[in-house]
Amino acid sequence: MNFSNPIRKHFVYKSALKKRRGRIANESLTVIDRMIETFGNKIPYLASYRSELVPLVHRTDRYLGKLIDLIPGPVVFDPDRWDRDPVIHSIFESGKRTRELLSGSKALTQFFQNSSANVGFALFTTEKQEKSVFVSEKEGEIFRRDVLRKAIFFEKHQIAAPSDNLAETQKQFRYQLFSDLFAMAAETISALKQSRAQLEVQRDEAVAKMALYADGSDTRKTFDALHQEVEGKIKSIDNSLKSPKDYVAYVQNLLQKPERQLSARPVLFKLSEMGILLDNASAEAANEFSLAEFEIGNGKKRMATWIRVDRSFLISK
């Protein structure tokens, strides 16, 4: 029997697996190093736990990739297409407002200034708002007034991560999502330190007031109880940040369950020319399009789509 082929296949597989693991580790370390550069001062000891963070960063990266895949587009953000494109028409009041956003975007302006590319890709995000309005509707031969309907409008537009290719823009957005997670850990650590500082002030005040009253007096006992309570809270915070591992644990906890803090879902819109939300059975002319809705741990939601922008779109006409 010829055993050479199975053996060769085994070594080829092992070699490919080793290369893949090496590539995954390098990609994860690139993310970690960027986070260390941004949050190293706010989350101490990150650099000491680079290797331990690799598996969690890789797992989170796979999850974030699934969220990013939900973003539709790219939509050609041509202001002259305002009356024809359902996305542009529904989000902006006019083609002029579309062009104002593009020309007023520092990110886009800087990108085209520093690049010879005539076309750029970017992430466009906006906040969806709803309000109830009364409209007039015609149903068959019947004309009805003051029908309560839901109107959809968009505000707080932002353009981010422009580049000359969509893959690079997606990569930059992935880094931003990682930054959002690491920022949550940094905010938790900062809040604990601030709370400890405030508790120290309360402790010192309690000690000072205790000195004003005789031993055994009820008032002194009251301030002593307060002092003990505050000391307990300070000790609890100290225990939560006792070692380098405790600091990094706040990051690890977020990376273990990123879905608790970051989520996304596709949202399909069917809007009238006036932005009225229509049901699926409506035969009225409608702007139909989809956006991805991202929700961050603080409850803030933003709609997202990829966009394609020509250099000429930024020029006023």
Side-chain angles (χ1 to χ4, degrees), residues 11-113:
F11 279 109
V12 169
Y13 171 78
K14 291 272 287 185
S15 177
L17 183 61
K18 184 177 180 180
K19 289 181 179 178
R20 180 176 180 275
R21 287 174 176 170
R23 177 179 55 79
I24 290 172
N26 288 336
E27 290 174 352
S28 297
L29 287 172
T30 298
V31 173
I32 294 168
D33 287 341
R34 287 193 61 158
M35 297 303 105
I36 291 173
E37 183 179 348
T38 304
F39 298 101
N41 292 331
K42 298 178 180 179
I43 311 176
Y45 313 110
L46 275 179
S48 302
Y49 286 81
R50 287 174 78 245
S51 58
E52 286 86 346
L53 289 173
V54 166
L56 286 174
V57 167
H58 173 57
R59 181 186 178 279
T60 301
D61 186 63
R62 293 177 62 185
Y63 173 71
L64 297 182
K66 293 178 181 178
L67 301 189
I68 291 172
D69 287 343
L70 296 175
I71 303 176
V75 176
V76 179
F77 250 38
D78 182 353
D80 292 336
R81 291 167 53 89
W82 176 80
D83 58 346
R84 304 189 303 278
D85 186 278
V87 178
I88 302 174
H89 189 89
S90 298
I91 291 177
F92 297 98
E93 299 173 6
S94 65
K96 180 181 178 182
R97 293 298 295 272
T98 310
R99 197 180 304 279
E100 288 174 352
L101 172 74
L102 297 178
S103 60
S105 168
K106 293 182 179 179
L108 276 179
T109 300
Q110 186 174 5
F111 165 71
F112 283 116
Q113 285 177 346

Side-chain angles (χ1 to χ4, degrees), residues 286-299:
N287 290 314
E288 297 187 55
F289 60 97
S290 64
L291 298 173
E293 183 177 65
F294 279 75
E295 182 172 0
I296 302 178
N298 57 13

